[in-house]
Amino acid sequence: MLLRVLAATGVAASLFGSPAFGADSLPTPPDRIVIDVATVNGSGCPAGTAAVAVSPDNTAFTVTYSGYLAQVGVGSKPTDFRKNCQLNLRVHVPQGFTYAIASADYRGFAHLENGATGTQRASYYFQGEPGTTHSTHRFNGPKDDNWQATDTVDVAALVFAPCGEERNFNINTELRVGAGSSDPISTTSFMTMDSTDGSINTVYHLAWKQCP
């Protein structure tokens, strides 16, 4: 699967409200970025169910899914308790610039019976680089409502792509549901990453750094 998305030139916005990433101090890429989705693999994103779009101002891209569901209980298969999706992205940036993922917004819906648990987890890393950033968000039943989680990386902890090199960027997300003390024989607990229109929207915010 190869999906190319173009983004128009724009001014990078502040991602943390920090002076280090304010609009006045953050360099603006002089050209558009191009994101190639090299591969999309995982039980939560079968072929044809994931798409990527880049924001007009170059500061974010959105991944949209249409079948990302983890569940336990009535009607579930033994493997349904965990679903994952790994995105392998080729991000082409203007010469003299590099980037990192500064924050990510996840949204979905959870129906968790009393005693059941849900987990959303994500990992971020550049191909060939040792640094990997992990985040985990947990939810407890009873819950029957939308959920939202945001990963934010401290400025000092940002791992940028090497200047002058193209390294694929990997984002591995996971949903996991556990029955806990609930009764999986008579109930169903599930968790999705989806919005009210039934699609799954995850927004990744980019931080830019000018190469020396």
Side-chain angles (χ1 to χ4, degrees):
M1 175 182 179
L2 182 62
L3 172 65
R4 171 161 289 193
V5 184
L6 305 181
T9 302
V11 177
S14 172
L15 300 177
F16 296 104
S18 163
F21 285 89
D24 293 336
S25 61
L26 189 65
T28 302
D31 199 359
R32 66 190 179 184
I33 61 173
V34 179
I35 295 179
D36 290 335
V37 182
T39 57
V40 180
N41 293 313
S43 54
C45 53
T49 65
V52 178
V54 181
S55 67
D57 64 0
N58 282 4
T59 64
F61 63 92
T62 301
V63 183
T64 302
Y65 306 93
S66 59
Y68 207 149
L69 167 70
Q71 62 180 355
V72 295
V74 179
S76 302
K77 300 176 183 177
T79 57
D80 286 345
F81 78 98
R82 177 188 177 275
K83 294 297 176 70
N84 82 297
C85 184
Q86 176 152 326
L87 300 172
N88 184 274
L89 307 173
R90 300 190 194 107
V91 183
H92 309 277
V93 301
Q95 186 174 2
F97 285 80
T98 185
Y99 74 98
I101 299 297
S103 64
D105 300 320
Y106 298 92
R107 295 179 177 86
F109 186 86
H111 174 81
L112 301 174
E113 295 288 333
N114 188 28
T117 61
T119 302
Q120 183 268 321
R121 178 176 169 84
S123 301
Y124 312 90
Y125 62 96
F126 288 99
Q127 184 176 356
E129 292 293 306
T132 300
T133 301
H134 302 280
S135 68
T136 302
H137 302 276
R138 294 182 174 85
F139 305 87
N140 296 317
K143 183 177 179 65
D144 188 41
D145 201 356
N146 296 318
W147 63 268
Q148 180 174 344
T150 298
D151 297 339
T152 302
V153 181
D154 290 337
V155 174
L158 284 172
V159 178
F160 285 88
C163 286
E165 299 181 29
E166 283 195 1
R167 296 283 181 89
N168 285 15
F169 190 73
N170 293 276
I171 301 171
N172 192 10
T173 60
E174 175 185 322
L175 290 178
R176 187 186 293 259
V177 177
S181 60
S182 68
D183 182 7
I185 303 300
S186 60
T187 65
T188 301
S189 293
F190 66 88
M191 189 173 178
T192 70
M193 275 196 286
D194 58 10
S195 62
T196 54
D197 62 4
S199 63
I200 299 165
N201 296 305
T202 300
V203 180
Y204 297 93
H205 305 276
L206 300 175
W208 295 97
K209 182 176 76 173
Q210 196 159 21
C211 294

